[in-house]
Amino acid sequence: MPKKRHIKFFKPTSSTASPTAASTSSIADKPQKSVNELLANLRRTSISPSASAQPVLPAAAPSVPPDIRAILQIPETPAPRPRRVARQRFDGYGRRLPAGPPPPRSWVTRRNDEAGSGFASGSSRLNLRGPADTIMPGTLLPSRGSLIDIVLQKLAYDWAFHRVYNQYHLYFVPNHLKAALIRFVGIASEEGLTLSDLKIILLPPSDTFEDDELEEITLSNGEVSYLDLSCSIGRSLKLKDLGEFLFPSKAEEPQRELQDSWDAVEVTPSPSRALLPNLTHLSLALDPDHASSASWKQLLAFSSNLSSLTHLNLAYWPDPCLITGGQLSTVSSPQGNIPYGGTNLYSHSIDHDWSEALLVLRLLSKNLYALEFLDLTGCSPWFKALMSKSDHDYVDWAKNWGKITHLRLYAGSKPVDDALPSVWVDYREAVDMARKVEKHIRTCRAGQGRFIVVERDQLDV
């Protein structure tokens, strides 16, 4: 049999009473306050200065008229706390800010040059003063420092890689970005822009589309109206090859065979189509180091297909002549050595003979009669030809080029402070000649043409 357990219960004594019971008994002994006493106590505590240090809780009590408040000696209702200032949802440029908390201060105060340090060495060509700064108005280029601008520049710096491994994908770049890509490749690439590069960007890859689809896809180049070949002409691209690519000549028609019947359908070959039919902005700015290789003869032949061109950039082009390099070449004859071309080394400086330059400019103005903008930055050696006249050869600013409303006549570079006196003399002469050309154009138009704006350098007084 298991043993029985006896549980002993202990009764609490007065010495070991619980604190809860003691506190309950003490509260019961205190006299309870009435409602009026409690309200009076609250009024006193709210008026006392010690209550101002405590946080004021928002009260939902109804407002009391001022007269009644003065009779009842009720304190004035505290003013509501000001609302927190709402965060501005737009930045200084009007762009909408992203949702969420503001970015850390270290992100905002970071310098812009640190952000692009990854390709700072390759971007040196785009930061140089020269053809990279000659941007025509009306062109849609990505804003400086934007994501598209950074991506296209990085693509241009590594063009030797992308032209091989991504040659089947570059054609599918959006049409509004192809002009910017061509510009960056010509300026930033070490080899420059070649004709094969233009074919990769403007022509679809072979064996990708059917014949009936290929014609429709080629028509999409009609959206490209701006072609910037800065620093490529004369260095890696010739105007003759460019003209044959953009404006293919009509192939020779084969001899037609005699039809067996007059009712037979005769197939007529379609005329050749221009690759860029809506081209209106063209930049042929030269690299000053390769300016001597430019050919005005090829430019005249190329301009015969550009009757709808409205904006042209001829920055840093040499003196107009029909024979490239003919100024320093001579031909032996019984009478002695005679110049190989129509312009020799001293024709402009000593003889003041601008006949060949005026002939070239007159032919060019007849081909490009729709021009509205012309950039001649760095062409100060032949600014005088823009206002000279030789028999019937001269630049007609009232008819052929009467639509030009914007003309740039910058010297191209400004001498440093410690430059030689002869350099400063040439610079001042270029600025003064640009001022004379502006005056000559406005005199020629004198109510017959449009108002023209001439951008030129200003001499520091």
Side-chain angles (χ1 to χ4, degrees):
M1 294 293 292
K3 294 181 180 182
K4 296 182 179 180
R5 296 182 180 180
H6 300 281
I7 302 174
K8 296 180 181 181
F9 297 94
F10 297 93
K11 294 181 180 180
T13 60
S14 59
S15 60
T16 61
S18 62
T20 306
S23 61
T24 304
S25 60
S26 62
I27 293 175
D29 296 340
K30 293 181 178 180
Q32 296 182 356
K33 296 182 179 181
S34 62
V35 177
N36 295 333
E37 292 176 354
L38 292 175
L39 293 176
N41 188 19
L42 289 175
R43 293 190 185 98
R44 286 194 302 270
T45 56
S46 62
I47 299 175
S48 62
S50 61
S52 60
Q54 300 177 357
V56 180
L57 299 177
S63 59
V64 182
D67 299 337
I68 300 177
R69 184 185 297 112
I71 295 173
L72 299 177
Q73 298 181 356
I74 300 175
E76 295 183 0
T77 305
R81 298 178 61 183
R83 294 183 178 181
R84 187 176 62 176
V85 180
R87 180 188 173 194
Q88 188 179 4
R89 304 305 303 173
F90 299 92
D91 60 0
Y93 299 97
R95 296 175 295 190
R96 187 177 181 87
L97 295 175
R105 185 176 300 176
S106 59
W107 293 9
V108 180
T109 57
R110 185 177 59 177
R111 295 179 298 177
N112 295 332
D113 53 351
E114 295 178 359
S117 59
F119 52 90
S121 59
S123 61
S124 58
R125 289 184 59 86
L126 289 176
N127 296 331
L128 291 176
R129 178 70 179 174
D133 294 335
T134 56
I135 300 177
M136 292 182 292
T139 56
L140 298 178
L141 293 176
S143 57
R144 192 70 173 176
S146 61
L147 178 61
I148 298 179
D149 180 69
I150 295 175
V151 171
L152 292 181
Q153 288 190 28
K154 186 63 177 177
L155 189 65
Y157 304 144
D158 302 332
W159 184 247
F161 171 83
H162 293 289
R163 67 186 299 183
V164 177
Y165 292 94
N166 292 324
Q167 56 179 321
Y168 299 105
H169 307 284
L170 292 172
Y171 170 76
F172 299 98
V173 174
N175 289 328
H176 66 281
L177 298 179
K178 288 184 178 180
L181 177 60
I182 293 174
R183 170 182 169 82
F184 290 157
V185 171
I187 296 175
S189 178
E190 296 181 358
E191 300 179 358
L193 185 74
T194 61
L195 187 62
S196 60
D197 298 335
L198 281 177
K199 293 181 179 180
I200 292 174
I201 299 175
L202 298 178
L203 294 181
S206 58
D207 302 334
T208 305
F209 303 99
E210 300 294 338
D211 295 339
D212 53 349
E213 298 177 349
L214 188 60
E215 184 177 358
E216 297 179 359
I217 294 175
T218 307
L219 291 177
S220 64
N221 287 331
E223 301 177 8
V224 181
S225 60
Y226 172 44
L227 186 61
D228 194 333
L229 303 176
S230 300
C231 300
S232 297
I233 299 298
R235 183 164 68 105
S236 58
L237 189 63
K238 294 183 179 180
L239 280 177
K240 181 180 179 181
D241 300 335
L242 179 64
E244 295 176 355
F245 172 65
L246 296 180
F247 309 100
S249 58
K250 188 176 181 180
E252 297 182 0
E253 298 182 2
Q255 295 181 357
R256 299 181 181 179
E257 299 180 358
L258 297 177
Q259 301 292 337
D260 296 336
S261 174
W262 290 101
D263 298 333
V265 179
E266 183 179 1
V267 179
T268 304
S270 59
S272 57
R273 188 188 304 272
L275 184 62
L276 302 177
N278 297 326
L279 182 64
T280 57
H281 295 64
L282 178 63
S283 176
L284 301 177
L286 301 179
D287 188 348
D289 298 334
H290 301 83
S292 59
S293 58
S295 174
W296 284 90
K297 186 177 181 179
Q298 295 181 7
L299 178 60
L300 292 176
F302 181 66
S303 63
S304 61
N305 299 315
L306 299 174
S307 58
S308 61
L309 196 69
T310 59
H311 292 66
L312 179 62
N313 186 353
L314 294 179
Y316 300 96
W317 271 70
D319 296 351
C321 61
L322 295 175
I323 300 178
T324 304
Q327 296 180 355
L328 302 178
S329 302
T330 57
V331 178
S332 299
S333 66
Q335 290 78 17
N337 294 332
I338 58 176
Y340 179 69
T343 303
N344 56 27
L345 188 61
Y346 305 103
S347 295
H348 299 164
S349 58
I350 298 179
D351 300 336
H352 301 287
D353 182 13
W354 296 92
S355 57
E356 187 179 14
L358 293 175
L359 173 63
V360 174
L361 292 177
R362 182 176 64 84
L363 296 176
L364 185 65
S365 63
K366 284 189 175 182
N367 294 337
L368 304 177
Y369 55 85
L371 277 186
E372 300 177 4
F373 171 85
L374 181 60
D375 192 345
L376 298 179
T377 300
C379 302
S380 55
W382 52 278
F383 278 173
K384 190 175 181 179
L386 300 175
M387 52 182 295
S388 301
K389 184 176 181 180
S390 176
D391 296 335
H392 59 280
D393 292 332
Y394 62 95
V395 180
D396 193 348
W397 292 101
K399 295 182 180 180
N400 294 339
W401 276 353
K403 296 181 179 180
I404 294 181
T405 58
H406 198 164
L407 180 63
R408 286 180 181 172
L409 296 178
Y410 290 112
S413 61
K414 185 176 181 180
V416 294
D417 295 337
D418 56 347
L420 296 176
S422 59
V423 177
W424 277 103
V425 170
D426 295 341
Y427 176 74
R428 292 190 181 95
E429 290 180 355
V431 175
D432 184 64
M433 187 59 64
R435 182 184 57 82
K436 293 180 179 179
V437 170
E438 179 183 6
K439 184 178 180 181
H440 170 74
I441 296 174
R442 292 182 177 177
T443 303
C444 292
R445 292 190 175 181
Q448 300 180 4
R450 303 179 182 179
F451 182 79
I452 188 171
V453 176
V454 180
E455 295 184 15
R456 53 186 177 86
D457 297 304
Q458 300 292 337
L459 291 175
D460 297 334
V461 180

